[in-house]
Amino acid sequence: MAGVEVSTNGGATWNTGSVSGGTWTYSLNTTSLIDGNNTIKVRAIDNAGNTQTSLASTTLNIDNTPPTIVLASPAPGLVLIGAVTVQGTVSDSNGVVSVQVSYDNGSTWNTATLIGGNWSYSWNTFGMINGGATIRVRATDSVGNVSPQLTYNGVIDNAPPTLFIALECPLWGNDNWCQTSATVNINSNSVGGVQSVTHTYNGETKTVSGS
């Protein structure tokens, strides 16, 4: 046998394989083929130049397309407190084997629960640094194609607000008592923002929105 030729387009063009003794090989670049069933034809050529007319063929199921993954919740920019459920959907023509979630910029990956086309992961934000947080999500199909990473940005806030109280008095007495009407300023801050501040004076309780 002088050589072997391989065709991926029904015999329109032929590519030369490698022959060693009675064994031949051909490196097939599947990225040049469409996803789905592809017929590969093979023919041999002998030392006299005769070409095999009864072609050998096989059908390959090509899949170079990664899964399609959607991150449905939490909502973008949400303040994250305690245990947070990260979830969404995923699909692939040949099946999805895993969905993974990372909250340390991809250094480590955690396996999400996958049921049909839905995935979810319970993320415990306690112990994480308060402030901006990024979640990355990726999926892998049955032949090893990995999806591009989805990125979610939120804010972790597991700490209570900090209060600041300041007394403004136009005239102080020698006994450190305010001699006139005074203004009490109560301020608060928090990583995730302050919803309301409640204060009590002389038995009267008031709540104001914001800081």
Side-chain angles (χ1 to χ4, degrees), residues 42-84:
V42 182
R43 66 185 182 187
I45 303 172
D46 66 15
N47 293 325
N50 298 307
T51 301
Q52 178 182 355
T53 56
S54 178
L55 305 180
S57 67
T58 188
T59 299
L60 301 180
N61 185 7
I62 306 298
D63 179 9
N64 287 310
T65 302
T68 300
I69 188 168
V70 175
L71 198 161
S73 67
L78 191 69
V79 176
L80 308 175
I81 302 173
V84 178

XYZ file of all heavy atoms in Angstrom, residues 42-84:
298
model
N -12.758 6.846 3.120
C -11.336 6.500 3.056
C -11.088 5.603 1.851
O -11.898 4.720 1.552
C -10.883 5.764 4.350
C -9.385 5.461 4.285
C -11.215 6.583 5.581
N -9.962 5.856 1.158
C -9.576 4.986 0.042
C -8.067 4.754 0.088
O -7.306 5.615 0.572
C -9.965 5.605 -1.295
C -9.231 6.880 -1.655
C -9.770 7.492 -2.936
N -9.029 8.704 -3.331
C -9.378 9.496 -4.340
N -10.475 9.208 -5.056
N -8.658 10.557 -4.647
N -7.650 3.600 -0.407
C -6.231 3.227 -0.422
C -5.684 3.285 -1.852
O -6.425 3.113 -2.829
C -6.050 1.836 0.155
N -4.379 3.541 -1.950
C -3.689 3.576 -3.243
C -2.499 2.619 -3.161
O -1.700 2.698 -2.224
C -3.214 5.000 -3.572
C -4.396 5.979 -3.571
C -2.486 5.031 -4.916
C -3.978 7.427 -3.690
N -2.394 1.699 -4.141
C -1.284 0.740 -4.086
C -0.052 1.296 -4.788
O -0.066 2.414 -5.325
C -1.701 -0.613 -4.661
C -2.012 -0.567 -6.152
O -1.638 0.428 -6.808
O -2.651 -1.529 -6.640
N 1.021 0.497 -4.782
C 2.301 0.958 -5.334
C 2.247 1.179 -6.837
O 3.088 1.890 -7.399
C 3.409 -0.041 -4.996
C 3.701 -0.069 -3.495
O 3.620 0.957 -2.834
N 4.032 -1.253 -2.962
N 1.266 0.549 -7.503
C 1.134 0.730 -8.954
C 0.277 1.936 -9.302
O 0.053 2.241 -10.474
C 0.545 -0.526 -9.573
N -0.257 2.597 -8.288
C -1.091 3.774 -8.527
C -2.563 3.476 -8.626
O -3.357 4.379 -8.933
N -2.951 2.231 -8.419
C -4.371 1.884 -8.458
C -5.080 2.406 -7.202
O -4.606 2.217 -6.080
C -4.538 0.367 -8.565
C -3.931 -0.180 -9.838
O -4.241 0.283 -10.935
N -3.045 -1.171 -9.695
N -6.231 3.030 -7.421
C -6.997 3.608 -6.317
C -8.203 2.746 -5.987
O -8.927 2.300 -6.894
C -7.467 5.039 -6.664
O -6.316 5.856 -6.929
C -8.251 5.653 -5.517
N -8.396 2.505 -4.734
C -9.535 1.709 -4.267
C -10.837 2.377 -4.713
O -11.041 3.571 -4.545
C -9.491 1.601 -2.731
C -10.646 0.832 -2.112
C -10.547 0.824 -0.587
O -9.584 1.316 -0.009
N -11.561 0.246 0.057
N -11.724 1.562 -5.317
C -13.000 2.109 -5.796
C -14.139 1.856 -4.809
O -15.108 2.631 -4.742
C -13.363 1.483 -7.153
O -13.386 0.054 -7.036
C -12.343 1.896 -8.208
N -14.059 0.783 -4.044
C -15.064 0.501 -3.028
C -14.617 1.169 -1.736
O -13.783 0.642 -0.992
C -15.202 -1.017 -2.832
O -16.143 -1.300 -1.820
N -15.143 2.371 -1.516
C -14.647 3.202 -0.415
C -15.111 2.694 0.946
O -16.242 2.219 1.116
C -15.123 4.646 -0.607
C -14.776 5.316 -1.938
C -15.315 6.741 -1.967
C -13.267 5.327 -2.143
N -14.201 2.793 1.909
C -14.578 2.556 3.300
C -15.124 3.863 3.874
O -14.688 4.955 3.487
C -13.368 2.095 4.103
N -16.100 3.779 4.777
C -16.677 5.003 5.349
C -17.150 4.763 6.776
O -17.395 3.623 7.188
C -17.851 5.505 4.494
O -18.936 4.610 4.547
N -17.229 5.833 7.508
C -17.770 5.797 8.860
C -18.457 7.119 9.141
O -18.168 8.136 8.481
C -16.664 5.533 9.905
O -17.260 5.326 11.178
C -15.703 6.704 9.995
N -19.366 7.128 10.098
C -20.087 8.351 10.451
C -19.684 8.787 11.854
O -19.717 7.990 12.802
C -21.605 8.130 10.401
O -21.980 7.761 9.068
C -22.358 9.395 10.797
N -19.276 10.034 11.980
C -18.882 10.595 13.266
C -19.893 11.653 13.697
O -20.342 12.477 12.887
C -17.493 11.241 13.173
C -16.329 10.338 12.743
C -15.038 11.147 12.698
C -16.185 9.163 13.693
N -20.247 11.638 14.962
C -21.119 12.670 15.528
C -20.231 13.743 16.147
O -19.617 13.533 17.188
C -22.056 12.064 16.588
C -23.056 13.082 17.122
O -23.139 14.195 16.629
N -23.810 12.688 18.129
N -20.150 14.886 15.504
C -19.258 15.965 15.925
C -20.006 16.929 16.851
O -21.148 17.296 16.597
C -18.706 16.732 14.712
C -18.029 15.771 13.717
C -17.743 17.821 15.158
C -16.847 15.041 14.285
N -19.323 17.315 17.931
C -19.886 18.312 18.842
C -18.759 19.202 19.345
O -18.004 18.835 20.242
C -20.592 17.632 20.021
C -21.174 18.643 21.011
O -21.184 19.847 20.697
O -21.609 18.229 22.103
N -18.657 20.396 18.778
C -17.673 21.389 19.219
C -18.344 22.603 19.855
O -17.689 23.621 20.089
C -16.805 21.846 18.037
C -15.811 20.776 17.615
O -15.088 20.233 18.442
N -15.785 20.459 16.330
N -19.647 22.501 20.128
C -20.381 23.625 20.678
C -20.542 23.469 22.189
O -21.047 22.435 22.650
C -21.777 23.734 20.032
O -21.622 23.871 18.616
C -22.540 24.931 20.572
N -20.120 24.464 22.970
C -20.259 24.364 24.428
C -21.703 24.548 24.861
O -22.545 25.028 24.078
C -19.383 25.518 24.941
C -19.405 26.515 23.829
C -19.454 25.715 22.560
N -22.017 24.176 26.086
C -23.379 24.364 26.583
C -23.769 25.844 26.631
O -22.911 26.720 26.719
C -23.327 23.769 27.995
C -22.128 22.897 28.017
C -21.160 23.509 27.074
N -25.069 26.089 26.590
C -25.607 27.438 26.776
C -26.120 27.547 28.204
O -27.005 26.785 28.611
C -26.753 27.713 25.794
O -26.260 27.601 24.456
C -27.330 29.100 26.011
N -25.558 28.471 28.969
C -25.906 28.587 30.384
C -26.463 29.973 30.669
O -26.008 30.971 30.103
C -24.688 28.280 31.284
C -25.101 28.220 32.744
C -23.561 29.246 31.054
C -24.037 27.636 33.656
N -27.480 30.012 31.530
C -28.127 31.269 31.919
C -28.112 31.368 33.441
O -28.420 30.392 34.137
C -29.582 31.337 31.412
C -30.278 32.586 31.934
C -29.619 31.281 29.892
N -27.736 32.534 33.959
C -27.774 32.799 35.395
C -29.005 33.659 35.659
O -29.051 34.823 35.268
C -26.503 33.491 35.852
C -26.179 33.473 37.350
C -24.696 33.777 37.576
C -27.017 34.456 38.132
N -30.016 33.070 36.310
C -31.297 33.754 36.488
C -31.369 34.569 37.770
O -32.019 35.621 37.816
C -32.445 32.737 36.469
N -30.738 34.088 38.839
C -30.757 34.809 40.103
C -29.502 34.436 40.905
O -28.923 33.379 40.691
C -32.030 34.471 40.904
O -32.019 33.128 41.312
N -29.082 35.364 41.795
C -29.742 36.590 42.236
C -29.700 37.693 41.186
O -28.948 37.606 40.210
C -28.930 36.982 43.482
C -27.576 36.377 43.255
C -27.814 35.099 42.521
N -30.507 38.715 41.413
C -30.580 39.835 40.480
C -29.277 40.635 40.524
O -28.607 40.688 41.558
C -31.758 40.738 40.845
N -28.891 41.241 39.400
C -27.640 42.007 39.359
C -27.622 43.116 40.401
O -28.616 43.816 40.611
C -27.643 42.581 37.936
C -28.498 41.646 37.154
C -29.565 41.185 38.091
N -26.465 43.267 41.082
C -26.288 44.339 42.033
C -26.982 44.149 43.359
O -26.987 45.051 44.207
N -27.564 42.976 43.591
C -28.305 42.731 44.823
C -27.358 42.676 46.022
O -26.221 42.243 45.913
C -29.054 41.409 44.710
C -30.099 41.100 45.782
C -31.287 42.034 45.638
C -30.561 39.647 45.670
N -27.845 43.147 47.192
C -27.095 43.000 48.435
C -27.282 41.569 48.928
O -28.403 41.112 49.143
C -27.572 44.009 49.492
C -26.831 43.772 50.806
C -27.349 45.440 49.017
N -26.183 40.844 49.102
C -26.221 39.420 49.445
C -26.014 39.239 50.938
O -25.033 39.736 51.516
C -25.143 38.671 48.665
C -25.136 38.904 47.150
C -23.951 38.197 46.517
C -26.442 38.445 46.527
N -26.929 38.508 51.576
C -26.881 38.288 53.017
C -27.050 36.801 53.301
O -27.963 36.157 52.777
C -27.988 39.075 53.735
C -27.861 40.578 53.444
C -27.949 38.825 55.238
C -29.008 41.396 53.981
N -26.159 36.249 54.128
C -26.298 34.866 54.559
C -26.192 33.870 53.413
O -25.354 33.975 52.520
N -27.073 32.868 53.437
C -27.088 31.839 52.394
C -27.834 32.368 51.169
O -28.979 32.794 51.257
C -27.741 30.571 52.901
N -27.178 32.349 50.036
C -27.741 32.871 48.786
C -27.863 31.736 47.782
O -26.911 30.972 47.585
C -26.854 33.996 48.208
C -27.415 34.490 46.884
C -26.718 35.133 49.205
